[in-house]
Amino acid sequence: MPSEFGAILKDWRKTRRFSQLDLSLEAEMSARHLSFLESGRANPSRAMVLRLSEALQLPRPAANQALSAAGFAPVYPSLSDDAPELAPVHQAIATMLAHHDPFPGYAIDRHWNIVNSNQGAQMILALASPGGPANLIDILINSAGLELIENWDEVAVLSLSRLRTEILELGGDDQLSALARRLASHDRVRKVDMASINLNQAVIPTIFRVGEHRLSLFSVIAQFGSVQDTKAGETRIELMFPMDQDTARFFER
């Protein structure tokens, strides 16, 4: 009978679309031993769990779960937001956002909740969702009836694609899946003619309409490479840059 670890290993192998042979080659082990681990006929060492976690590119929380299932202590910390150890991380985020002003910049968590933003982003967010939610997908859905985002359909379809990719990489996530279903079920998204969206563009910007101004912005997304905390390590910083001089002058004023 498969062990708890064996079941987790098999589920993630299928999620990553690996055969047993594929994964054994990636993890530099025998396919026979991998089969024994999945079936519960063999128990993994701590080093083997970590090797398989790396081969499967498990998110840190999933790697901790696999370690616990195999009888080992979690290796990745899970600290509270106000933990002193995370102060340099929060300072780095604040510094990046401040230096990016006057152009919009914000930090979001795993579920697209905004955890920090600069003045440029706060101006746009106030127009999109005055006093409303601080979740980017909620804000996008709420702005569908406004004239704020000129290419709303294009932005929504690309956001949905990004959501689905993240869900796949995480091996499933209930909150992200709920957000994806809400966005996918929106009337405007269901009616989008995919042939009308030019995915061959070198850059696909978000185009805002603010009064008489047409603001065209594209995004750069950054993540921490060495932060091991399960939550802080998933924080993403999105910096928006102007596509043209008119947009740059608007924010600089």
Side-chain angles (χ1 to χ4, degrees):
M1 181 177 179
S3 63
E4 182 183 356
F5 172 79
I8 290 173
L9 176 59
K10 186 175 182 178
D11 286 345
W12 272 102
R13 177 174 62 77
K14 289 185 174 180
T15 295
R16 295 295 188 241
R17 299 182 178 180
F18 279 151
S19 67
Q20 286 188 341
L21 179 59
D22 291 334
L23 180 54
S24 65
L25 292 172
E26 188 70 24
E28 299 181 347
M29 61 186 296
S30 72
R32 184 170 182 268
H33 185 43
L34 177 62
S35 176
F36 279 14
L37 291 175
E38 286 192 2
S39 66
R41 294 176 65 185
N43 296 317
S45 66
R46 181 176 181 275
M48 179 58 72
V49 177
L50 292 173
R51 187 194 304 180
L52 287 166
S53 297
E54 182 177 354
L56 290 165
Q57 297 183 347
L58 297 191
R60 293 181 182 91
N64 278 347
Q65 182 187 18
L67 283 162
S68 296
F72 302 106
V75 69
Y76 298 110
S78 182
L79 305 173
S80 62
D81 287 340
D82 58 357
E85 297 91 331
L86 294 180
V89 176
H90 298 315
Q91 183 58 51
I93 293 172
T95 299
M96 288 182 69
L97 295 179
H99 285 179
H100 193 62
D101 255 332
F103 306 122
Y106 49 81
I108 59 175
D109 65 14
R110 170 176 176 160
H111 298 117
W112 294 50
N113 296 306
I114 299 171
V115 297
N116 201 346
S117 59
N118 65 11
Q119 293 183 15
Q122 289 162 19
M123 183 270 290
I124 294 292
L125 293 171
L127 294 171
S129 183
N135 179 280
L136 281 185
I137 299 300
D138 286 334
I139 290 171
L140 179 60
I141 292 171
N142 290 349
S143 66
L146 307 176
E147 296 181 357
L148 179 65
I149 303 178
E150 179 179 298
N151 60 334
W152 188 94
D153 293 354
E154 191 173 52
V155 172
V157 168
L158 292 174
S159 297
L160 181 58
S161 176
R162 182 173 148 193
L163 266 175
R164 288 171 170 166
T165 298
E166 290 174 9
I167 292 167
L168 182 62
E169 290 175 349
L170 292 168
D173 183 286
D174 290 344
Q175 291 188 50
L176 286 180
S177 295
L179 289 172
R181 285 193 298 271
R182 284 189 60 212
L183 185 55
S185 64
H186 194 282
D187 285 344
R188 286 186 63 173
V189 175
R190 289 192 291 110
K191 294 176 181 177
V192 168
D193 178 7
M194 293 301 296
S196 67
I197 298 179
N198 182 10
L199 297 178
N200 292 322
Q201 299 177 70
V203 180
I204 300 179
T206 301
I207 302 172
F208 295 98
R209 283 284 185 178
V210 180
E212 298 178 354
H213 301 279
R214 186 176 187 269
L215 311 176
S216 184
L217 297 154
F218 70 97
S219 296
V220 172
I221 300 174
Q223 282 187 274
F224 293 101
S226 58
V227 175
Q228 301 301 298
D229 181 71
T230 56
K231 184 177 178 182
E234 293 179 334
T235 301
R236 286 162 293 169
I237 302 163
E238 187 158 349
L239 305 177
M240 305 189 82
F241 289 85
M243 284 283 290
D244 52 57
Q245 288 301 313
D246 288 343
T247 301
R249 283 192 290 267
F250 173 87
F251 284 99
E252 288 167 352
R253 285 198 298 268

